[in-house]
Amino acid sequence: MSAPNIETIASLSKRRGFVFPASDIYGGLGSSWDYGPLGVELANNIKKSWWNWAVYERDDIEGLDSSIILNRSVWKYSGHETTFSDPLVDCRSCKSRLRQDKLDTDDAGKFICSNCGSTDLTEPRPFNLMFRTTIGAVSADDDPAALAYLRPETAQGIFINFKNVLDTSRRKLPFGIAQIGKAFRNEVTPGNFIFRTREFEQMEIEYFVRPDEVQKLHQEWLDAYLEWIKSLGISAENIKLYEQSAEELAHYSERTVDILYRYFPERSDEEKQWDELMGIANRTDYDLRVHSKKPEDADGKRINPDSTEDLSYFDPQTNERFYPYIIEPSIGVNRTLLAVMMDAYTEKTTEKGETRVILKLVPELAPIKAAVLPLAKNKPEIVEMAKRIKKDLQPSLRAVYDDTGGIGKLYARQDEIGTPFCVTVDHESLEDNAVTVRHRDSWEQERVSTDALKSYLAERL
Ligand code: GAP
């Protein structure tokens, strides 16, 4: 089972402290979200899993953390200033502002307003998605010399550091650079909870390869990502691949395969249940070329007169110099978190006929690994023992102590936030130095001696 819709996860998130509407006490800020105590843990665990998998477990990836605000030239030569836009239309009937490429068409091929159904829409006009800002205390808002952007992707920070990383790490092709960081897009139609927002986080790899190896390695990355996504507990039946058509490809891409997740299982049309979790693009040698000082156009003019570096690669084995091709797997932290929560969501009926929610997160991702609960909070010896056990577990795994309700209620709360183990201290514990360990998914209980508890949990986490 997985969540019946995104709203179920949005409501659980607010109720239990995963994700809150941002700026809520001032009426909110359209499609902005804050990650609460459990959400920040879950997001950090996703990022940790990714970094371990991408950077530590492979031998060919280096990490990077580049700036959010870059020299404006980066966005000029990357093509974002001219092409990073969505086609905007206004509905003359209901005054909605819409993205034309997301609208359905009627039998006559006319675009239909998704808000009121009218086909009386304005002609599309391009709307650049980059957020603008100005640099310097004395700059005027409209001073083009002070204009800068918040990055709409982390990728460009990687391309412009290609030579720095290559020279300092003494890498040979193929190798990659990984980065996790915030990106900003002034989306025309954000929405669906954390699926599409104006501020979000990306985990991107730019993998530099010889042109003749690009197809094989593209496929290898695709296979590797499918495995990593499944390791997050996301079931195969809720993932599928989508090959972008020539019209859909970004200006830099020769081939892009998206991995889709079933974010909208409630939709009756199966085709409409899916949306993009991530994309894996073959960006060719476009990026390193456009940021290099040497390449020239057909008239012999430098395509980039502002760059001070050449980002070509010299292969000592073949004595060739060329611009590496780039394979780019790019995935959003927020969309991953949403897919992980949707897939982990389950409901179970108790013997009394009550419905309980269990978030069956893989233990690696669970915000809290163990909750230590005293069976009687008015018995000081039990409370003291439970707090001691929690403190003892805490350095090696995230544990909490909770005595704010009856045991049934405490179990239900931990099930709903995905805690794999509850450890209960009862009257007998004082005699036999053992505790009851309750398993989240099966609700089975086992008696475990306190001396063995740490290793018992470590083995199962
Ligand atoms: N560097 C390539 C790039 O940025 P993209 O397909 O535009 O490609 C990559 O974005 C990923 O970033 C998406 O697959 C998605 O997971 C995430 N993403 C993009 N826009 C987003 C938004 N407005 N809100 C949340 N996540 C977003």
Side-chain angles (χ1 to χ4, degrees):
M1 182 183 176
S2 50
N5 49 44
I6 288 181
E7 288 72 38
T8 304
I9 298 301
S11 130
L12 166 67
S13 293
K14 187 168 180 200
R15 194 168 64 245
R16 290 301 187 200
F18 282 90
V19 183
F20 306 120
S23 311
D24 209 18
I25 64 165
Y26 288 106
L29 174 71
S31 298
S32 294
W33 303 92
D34 293 339
Y35 288 73
L38 299 177
V40 68
E41 296 290 343
L42 179 53
N44 281 344
N45 291 342
I46 289 171
K47 289 185 267 184
K48 247 185 268 170
S49 164
W50 184 80
W51 195 266
N52 280 339
W53 171 75
V55 183
Y56 298 165
E57 290 170 21
R58 297 178 64 105
D59 299 323
D60 55 356
I61 307 272
E62 300 284 350
L64 180 77
D65 186 10
S66 69
S67 299
I68 285 177
I69 299 177
L70 305 174
N71 187 309
R72 186 182 160 194
S73 294
V74 172
W75 309 109
K76 176 177 171 188
Y77 291 104
S78 68
H80 282 79
E81 275 197 338
T82 45
T83 63
F84 196 62
S85 51
D86 280 341
L88 197 71
V89 291
D90 289 315
C91 173
R92 291 196 184 90
S93 301
C94 72
K95 310 292 175 218
S96 297
R97 186 151 285 182
L98 309 155
R99 256 178 78 172
Q100 190 193 49
D101 57 329
K102 295 281 173 191
L103 300 181
D104 289 332
T105 48
D106 66 9
D107 295 341
K110 282 186 154 181
F111 288 101
I112 307 168
C113 171
S114 52
N115 190 40
C116 73
S118 164
T119 53
D120 189 9
L121 308 179
T122 59
E123 282 300 305
R125 58 194 183 283
F127 172 72
N128 196 290
L129 300 183
M130 286 196 291
F131 274 104
R132 293 156 157 250
T133 187
T134 49
I135 292 182
V138 292
S139 62
D141 282 353
D142 55 356
D143 177 0
L147 175 61
Y149 303 103
L150 304 188
R151 67 179 176 199
E153 61 172 9
T154 69
Q156 299 297 327
I158 298 181
F159 305 140
I160 59 174
N161 275 291
F162 170 70
K163 198 168 149 42
N164 288 335
V165 177
L166 183 70
D167 291 350
T168 51
S169 67
R170 311 176 72 79
R171 287 282 181 182
K172 298 220 164 28
L173 296 189
F175 82 97
I177 303 177
Q179 167 155 243
I180 301 177
K182 288 265 174 135
F184 305 83
R185 296 180 191 178
N186 200 1
E187 298 279 2
V188 179
T189 46
N192 290 315
F193 187 40
I194 55 173
F195 178 81
R196 181 170 284 108
T197 49
R198 297 194 171 97
E199 174 178 341
F200 56 97
E201 212 168 3
Q202 291 184 316
M203 302 184 280
E204 298 202 287
I205 294 172
E206 305 302 330
Y207 196 69
F208 304 94
V209 306
R210 293 180 56 86
D212 56 6
E213 288 190 312
V214 73
Q215 280 168 15
K216 175 175 82 93
L217 294 172
H218 194 184
Q219 187 58 44
E220 281 182 21
W221 273 110
L222 198 51
D223 297 340
Y225 260 91
L226 287 172
E227 286 311 306
W228 179 70
I229 289 167
K230 284 187 218 153
S231 81
L232 303 180
I234 296 176
S235 49
E237 69 194 32
N238 287 330
I239 316 171
K240 78 171 181 184
L241 300 181
Y242 175 75
E243 183 87 36
Q244 286 193 10
S245 66
E247 299 78 54
E248 290 168 314
L249 288 176
H251 60 281
Y252 50 73
S253 175
E254 193 169 284
R255 181 186 177 212
T256 297
V257 181
D258 289 336
I259 300 182
L260 311 183
Y261 179 74
R262 200 192 297 271
Y263 286 106
F264 305 99
E266 76 280 13
R267 292 181 181 165
S268 53
D269 181 351
E270 217 266 345
E271 280 297 300
K272 295 202 164 140
Q273 294 180 354
W274 304 88
D275 214 326
E276 180 185 326
L277 167 61
M278 67 170 301
I280 304 183
N282 168 0
R283 298 183 67 122
T284 70
D285 60 357
Y286 176 88
D287 304 287
L288 294 180
R289 263 180 183 283
V290 295
H291 288 305
S292 286
K293 65 177 181 181
K294 279 195 176 161
E296 294 175 347
D297 62 16
D299 301 326
K301 275 205 337 226
R302 281 167 62 190
I303 60 169
N304 187 336
D306 295 320
S307 170
T308 59
E309 275 295 349
D310 182 48
L311 303 178
S312 62
Y313 173 84
F314 180 73
D315 187 332
Q317 265 158 2
T318 59
N319 280 338
E320 282 174 292
R321 182 169 282 285
F322 58 93
Y323 294 97
Y325 268 44
I326 295 175
I327 298 163
E328 178 193 61
S330 176
I331 184 162
V333 173
N334 320 78
R335 282 190 197 179
T336 307
L337 185 143
L338 180 56
V340 161
M341 286 187 78
M342 287 188 77
D343 231 273
Y345 184 94
T346 354
E347 289 177 0
K348 185 165 168 171
T349 309
T350 64
E351 282 161 7
K352 290 187 196 153
E354 292 162 359
T355 304
R356 293 276 187 81
V357 171
I358 309 178
L359 204 58
K360 293 190 174 176
L361 295 171
V362 293
E364 183 195 5
L365 298 186
I368 295 165
K369 312 297 183 201
V372 188
L373 316 170
L375 198 63
K377 72 170 175 182
N378 52 6
K379 183 114 190 190
E381 299 94 312
I382 293 183
V383 167
E384 195 254 328
M385 185 174 176
K387 286 188 174 166
R388 204 178 53 238
I389 291 173
K390 183 260 168 192
K391 215 167 172 195
D392 192 39
L393 293 176
Q394 187 64 72
S396 46
L397 55 93
R398 174 92 166 104
V400 294
Y401 167 88
D402 192 1
D403 65 6
T404 58
I407 196 72
K409 210 167 169 192
L410 295 180
Y411 282 154
R413 185 183 296 164
Q414 295 301 330
D415 284 346
E416 204 174 5
I417 63 174
T419 307
F421 299 104
C422 286
V423 174
T424 309
V425 180
D426 54 24
H427 295 89
E428 247 183 278
S429 306
L430 302 172
E431 309 295 325
D432 66 0
N433 219 19
V435 288
T436 302
V437 176
R438 174 186 177 272
H439 296 248
R440 177 195 65 198
D441 299 348
S442 61
W443 291 355
E444 273 167 19
Q445 305 198 354
E446 273 180 90
R447 202 74 183 159
V448 179
S449 115
T450 50
D451 299 336
L453 183 63
K454 229 189 234 180
S455 56
Y456 175 94
L457 294 177
E459 264 171 43
R460 285 156 183 82
L461 289 166

